[in-house]
Amino acid sequence: MDHDRAHDPLVRDVIRMTFELTGRLRAHMDGVAASLDLTPMQARALFVSHQPVPMGLLAESLHCDASNVTGIVDRLEERGLMERVVDPDDRRRKNLVLTAAGRRGSEQLKDRLRADNPILSLDGPELEVLHGLLLQVLSADVPPEMPRRTHPSPQI
Amino acid sequence: MDHDRAHDPLVRDVIRMTFELTGRLRAHMDGVAASLDLTPMQARALFVSHQPVPMGLLAESLHCDASNVTGIVDRLEERGLMERVVDPDDRRRKNLVLTAAGRRGSEQLKDRLRADNPILSLDGPELEVLHGLLLQVLSADVPPEMPRRTHPSPQI
DNA sequence: TATTGTTATACTCTATAACTATA
DNA sequence: TATAGTTATAGAGTATAACAATA
C-alpha cells in the first residue's frame, strides 16, 4: 500500500524549494549570458553544443519547438559562433558546429557559470551527495515532451 | 589554502546536471501550465501569489523587470484569476490578490505539479537529504539581481 | 509517405526609457 | 527627490500550420 505522497509536507516543501532554486539558477545563468552579450536561449544553445548536433536534437535539449531553433541558430551564425553543416549521410539534416570563436565563447560561458554558482555554497562531501541524487533523478526520469497547449483541460 | 574548485570535475558535473534537471523541471512546469491553458509566466505568477503581494515583489520573485509584470498581471486579471487592490497605507502600491477562481487555479496547478514531478523518483529519506541541501543553498545564496545586458564585457 | 528543417503568423516575454501618481 | 507602477518600443522567444527538400 503506497502512501499518497501528494499530501506529504516534505514533498510540498521540496517542490517549493526546487522552484525557488531553479529560478535563481536560471537568473544566474541569464546574468552570465548577458555579461557575454548573449540572450538566454543563445547561451543555452552554446552550452549544450560541445559536439556537432542536428537542429532537431538541439530543439529537444532546449525544450522548445524545432521551428524556434531556426531563429536562435540564425543569430548565433550571424555572430560567427556556429555553423550549419549539411550531413553528407542524410542531406535533410544539418549539424551545428561551433566555430573557433564559438568554442572560446562556450568556454568563457562555462568558466563564468562555475565562478559564482549558488550551489558552490556546498562543500565537497555535500556536492558528492547532491551528485548522487541528481544522477538518480536524471536516470529515472523520462525527459518531458515540449509543453503543448493544444487540448487543455482548464476547469478554471 | 583553498583548492580551486572551478577545475574540480565534480563541480563541472554537478553544474551540468543541474542545468539538465533545471530544464526538465521547467518543461514539466510549463506542461502543467499548458494543461490549465496558462502561459509559463502566468503560472509562475499564480504559483508565488499565495497572499497579497505588491507588483514589485512579484517582479523580484519572477526574476524579471517590473514593467513586464504589468502585462502578465493584466492577462491574469482579464481572466478573473487576480485583482489589483490599491494599498490604503501607500496609494502608489497595488497588492495582488487571488480571486476564488485564482485560488482554485493555483491549487490545481500545485496538485498537477506534485502529481508527476521528476524529483518524486526519490524516496522519503532521499527527499530528506535533498531538503537539507536545498535549505543550505537557498539560505547561503543571495538571490541574484535581474540579468542586465547594459555593460557587457563580451570578448567573444 | 515520413522526416528534417524553414517560413509565415500571432502572441507572449523581455529590458530600456520616459512617464504618472504618490510619498 | 525618491519610489511604485504604467506605457511605448523594439527585439527575442514561443507554438502552430503550411511548406520544401530529402529519405
Side-chain angles (χ1 to χ4, degrees):
Chain A
M1 188 66 60
D2 206 24
H3 177 251
D4 185 0
R5 307 181 72 195
H7 297 97
D8 185 345
L10 177 62
V11 170
R12 297 186 180 218
D13 245 32
V14 170
I15 288 179
R16 183 180 47 71
M17 289 160 90
T18 53
F19 178 94
E20 174 65 24
L21 181 59
T22 295
R24 290 197 202 175
L25 287 173
R26 175 153 299 224
H28 178 251
M29 169 68 148
D30 293 353
V32 169
S35 79
L36 293 167
D37 199 31
L38 295 166
T39 67
M41 285 305 278
Q42 286 169 10
R44 294 193 224 319
L46 219 52
F47 187 90
V48 299
S49 303
H50 353 59
Q51 59 260 97
V53 60
M55 306 281 288
L57 188 57
L58 181 56
E60 266 188 54
S61 300
L62 298 176
H63 302 284
C64 71
D65 191 89
S67 63
N68 301 327
V69 176
T70 300
I72 294 165
V73 170
D74 278 352
R75 290 180 274 274
L76 285 169
E77 202 169 23
E78 282 164 20
R79 186 140 158 206
L81 301 175
M82 256 186 189
E83 277 176 342
R84 288 168 164 95
V85 178
V86 174
D87 189 328
D89 294 342
D90 181 347
R91 295 180 44 73
R92 292 173 302 181
R93 180 171 273 119
K94 295 175 185 173
N95 292 307
L96 302 171
V97 184
L98 291 184
T99 62
R103 286 192 298 275
R104 278 198 303 276
S106 174
E107 279 311 306
Q108 285 195 28
L109 181 72
K110 288 168 185 176
D111 284 346
R112 296 187 188 192
L113 200 53
R114 280 190 291 268
D116 205 25
N117 200 295
I119 63 161
L120 290 186
S121 56
L122 299 178
D123 63 23
E126 289 163 338
L127 272 183
E128 291 277 9
V129 173
L130 181 57
H131 183 272
L133 293 175
L134 287 169
L135 201 61
Q136 183 173 333
V137 172
L138 289 176
S139 53
D141 174 55
V142 177
E145 291 179 11
M146 202 196 50
R148 302 276 175 189
R149 300 173 72 190
T150 317
H151 298 302
S153 51
Q155 300 173 308
I156 60 174
Chain B
M1 191 63 61
D2 206 24
H3 177 250
D4 185 359
R5 307 182 73 196
H7 297 98
D8 185 345
L10 178 62
V11 170
R12 298 187 181 218
D13 245 31
V14 170
I15 288 180
R16 185 181 46 71
M17 289 160 91
T18 54
F19 179 94
E20 174 64 25
L21 181 60
T22 296
R24 291 198 202 175
L25 287 172
R26 174 151 303 221
H28 179 251
M29 169 68 148
D30 293 353
V32 169
S35 79
L36 293 168
D37 198 29
L38 295 166
T39 67
M41 285 304 278
Q42 285 168 11
R44 293 192 226 314
L46 218 52
F47 187 89
V48 299
S49 302
H50 353 62
Q51 59 260 99
V53 60
M55 307 279 291
L57 188 56
L58 181 56
E60 266 187 55
S61 300
L62 298 178
H63 301 284
C64 70
D65 191 88
S67 64
N68 302 325
V69 176
T70 299
I72 294 166
V73 170
D74 279 351
R75 290 180 274 274
L76 285 169
E77 202 169 22
E78 282 165 20
R79 187 142 157 205
L81 301 175
M82 254 185 191
E83 276 176 342
R84 288 169 164 95
V85 178
V86 174
D87 189 327
D89 293 343
D90 181 347
R91 295 180 44 73
R92 292 173 303 180
R93 182 171 271 119
K94 295 175 186 174
N95 291 305
L96 302 171
V97 184
L98 291 183
T99 62
R103 286 191 299 274
R104 279 197 304 277
S106 174
E107 279 312 304
Q108 285 195 28
L109 181 72
K110 287 169 187 175
D111 285 346
R112 296 187 188 192
L113 200 52
R114 279 190 290 267
D116 205 25
N117 200 294
I119 64 160
L120 291 186
S121 55
L122 299 178
D123 64 21
E126 288 163 340
L127 274 183
E128 292 277 9
V129 173
L130 180 58
H131 183 272
L133 293 175
L134 287 170
L135 201 61
Q136 182 174 334
V137 172
L138 290 176
S139 53
D141 175 55
V142 177
E145 290 179 14
M146 203 197 50
R148 303 277 175 186
R149 301 174 70 191
T150 318
H151 298 303
S153 52
Q155 301 173 304
I156 59 174

